[in-house]
Amino acid sequence: MRLARTLIDVRPLRTSPVFRRLLIGRTVSVLGSFMTMVTVMYQVWDMTHSTIWTGAVGLAQALPMVVFGLFAGAWVDRGDRRRIFLLATVGQAAFSLLLAVQGFTGHVPVAGVLGLVAAQSCCSAVGGPAAGVFVPRLLPKDQVAAGLALQQVTGQAMMLVGPALGGVLLGWAGIGTCYLVDALSFGLAFYGAFGLPALPPAGEPSRAGLHGVLDGLRFLAGHRAVRGALITDLAATVLSMPTSLFPLVNAERFGGSPHTLGLFMSALAVGGTAASALSGAVTRLGRPGPVMLCGAGIWGVALAAFGLMRDPWAGLGLLVVAGAADAVSVISRSTIVQTHTPDALLGRVTAAEQIVGQAGPHLGSLRGGVVAGWTSGPTALVSGGLLCLLAVVWVGARAPELRGGALPEPYGAAMPPQPVGGPVPDGP
């Protein structure tokens, strides 16, 4: 019985056919997206043999999120989130089809490929905030964390499988086919959301344009729990993101073996997948604030310890611990954001969370590279991990709501879950 409570809580899959279908569609589309990520990198490198251009791929993916994300969130908070998500999914599929066409023909310059990637990212900037309201609207409050954990574990699993599968498909069928598979994967995401009820904002819709964006920013600035959750995420990514330092640390400490480097790259995902699969006790606890703070603190401590480590196997163990702590922190952070935010503001707040998730790792990679250039890779890791820990302690001290951490009644219960049985159409 105790083991059953430790394993991931699958009640949302049993009680909500709508959520189950959404999760299947999301999982398949995430798999396609990771395959496309590998394919774009391969194609751009094959066309240019330039690290500047391959670095521009990440910029093409992140910049639209940063520039348009909050305005997209304000739009999401003005209309039917289901309809907006479906439109965004169609847009993503269309741009994947265009990538497939250019992959088969080979007549598009590299700037055109990056333009299509950026256009697809614009659609994702809209679809992400729209999808962010699905879990709290479709599930009871006590199952929201479990639903987010299920999304986390499937996303982590696809992060492990997707790049490898993309590489196999690239070698077997070529660039165009990989993009085509991604386009088809959005069909399942569309089907998963098609049977949802209309999901207009509960409460006053967002004001148009910049006014709506500013309303969302005022909420973020004034709500200590949500603000603290996003600051914690920034601390974990901007101050201590380790992946850009792995090649240097591997060369400085572990002989530069590509096999060791590959294991370092995978260890974080292995830890995250395992922790998500064993998240039942955490999500049933109903105290996401303390769990988030502890998870982010352990992430920082584990990375600082990795920076001091000279044994590669001990280093791998610390990275697994760091990945597990990060996964638990992410689940808890998302639970805080989605249960503390009024439904009428949830699109904008989810957009802000998405921007933090996109921009934070890139800024963290830049910080790590600059510090390592001045000092060394281990120094960058140790300093980043300790700064992350200090930031988490500061957030906990400034936000007593997070130290208490119980799910709130006003926002978590203000919008009852939509029916998940007979009244909801089961799709086409």
Side-chain angles (χ1 to χ4, degrees):
M1 186 69 177
R2 182 172 297 177
L3 177 62
R5 291 185 62 82
T6 300
L7 295 174
I8 191 168
D9 186 353
V10 297
R11 284 179 298 162
L13 296 178
R14 294 198 304 264
T15 62
S16 175
V18 176
F19 174 81
R20 185 167 61 241
R21 192 174 62 227
L22 273 173
L23 184 66
I24 292 171
R26 178 184 183 275
T27 301
V28 174
S29 67
V30 169
L31 174 65
S33 296
F34 277 114
M35 292 173 62
T36 289
M37 179 184 71
V38 171
T39 306
V40 170
M41 285 291 187
Y42 175 84
Q43 182 182 8
V44 170
W45 175 256
D46 188 56
M47 295 170 72
T48 66
H49 293 283
S50 167
T51 55
I52 295 176
W53 279 110
T54 54
V57 173
L59 186 64
Q61 293 170 327
L63 193 59
M65 296 279 188
V66 175
V67 173
F68 301 115
L70 289 176
F71 289 94
W75 179 36
V76 165
D77 284 337
R78 287 177 59 81
D80 177 6
R81 281 77 172 262
R82 167 190 175 272
R83 186 183 299 274
I84 292 172
F85 176 80
L86 292 176
L87 288 173
T89 302
V90 170
Q92 289 178 282
F95 287 115
S96 282
L97 282 174
L98 291 175
L99 283 168
V101 170
Q102 66 82 31
F104 285 122
T105 61
H107 297 313
V108 176
V110 64
V113 175
L114 294 183
L116 291 173
V117 171
Q120 189 178 57
S121 186
C122 287
C123 295
S124 182
V126 175
V133 308
F134 291 164
V135 172
R137 289 285 290 266
L138 296 173
L139 296 177
K141 185 185 67 172
D142 64 340
Q143 293 185 25
V144 168
L148 295 173
L150 288 165
Q151 290 186 347
Q152 176 77 1
V153 71
T154 54
Q156 291 276 355
M158 294 307 100
M159 184 169 68
L160 286 172
V161 174
L165 186 58
V168 171
L169 193 59
L170 266 172
W172 176 59
I175 291 171
T177 302
C178 286
Y179 290 133
L180 184 60
V181 169
D182 185 32
L184 295 175
S185 74
F186 286 112
L188 274 178
F190 185 94
Y191 174 76
F194 189 82
L196 292 177
L199 295 172
E204 184 178 352
S206 168
R207 294 192 290 172
L210 184 60
H211 294 294
V213 172
L214 293 176
D215 290 340
L217 292 176
R218 275 191 287 270
F219 171 79
L220 287 173
H223 197 291
R224 287 187 298 191
V226 176
R227 183 182 66 220
L230 295 186
I231 292 174
T232 301
D233 188 31
L234 281 173
T237 53
V238 175
L239 297 179
S240 56
M241 180 55 63
T243 50
S244 65
L245 299 170
F246 285 162
L248 179 59
V249 173
N250 186 45
E252 291 179 345
R253 289 280 177 90
F254 305 115
S257 168
H259 303 293
T260 308
L261 178 61
L263 290 174
F264 286 162
M265 294 292 189
S266 301
L268 292 173
V270 169
T273 303
S276 300
L278 298 173
S279 63
V282 170
T283 57
R284 289 184 176 94
L285 184 63
R287 299 178 68 82
V291 171
M292 179 195 70
L293 294 173
C294 289
I298 292 171
W299 158 267
V301 170
L303 292 177
F306 173 72
L308 298 172
M309 197 57 56
R310 292 187 176 275
D311 179 76
W313 293 108
L316 282 171
L318 287 168
L319 290 178
V320 170
V321 170
D326 182 56
V328 170
S329 181
V330 168
I331 294 168
S332 302
R333 186 196 72 237
S334 297
T335 303
I336 291 167
V337 169
Q338 297 202 5
T339 55
H340 283 75
T341 304
D343 184 81
L345 286 161
L346 194 51
R348 280 161 285 181
V349 174
T350 303
E353 186 183 18
Q354 184 172 263
I355 290 170
V356 169
Q358 285 287 326
H362 291 288
L363 292 174
S365 295
L366 177 62
R367 184 216 68 89
V370 170
V371 174
W374 288 342
T375 56
S376 67
T379 301
L381 278 167
V382 172
S383 62
L386 294 179
L387 285 172
C388 173
L389 178 62
L390 289 174
V392 170
V393 171
W394 179 82
V395 169
R398 295 293 298 267
E401 299 87 347
L402 293 178
R403 298 197 304 272
L407 293 178
E409 286 299 329
Y411 299 147
M415 186 63 197
Q418 299 295 318
V420 294
V424 178
D426 198 41

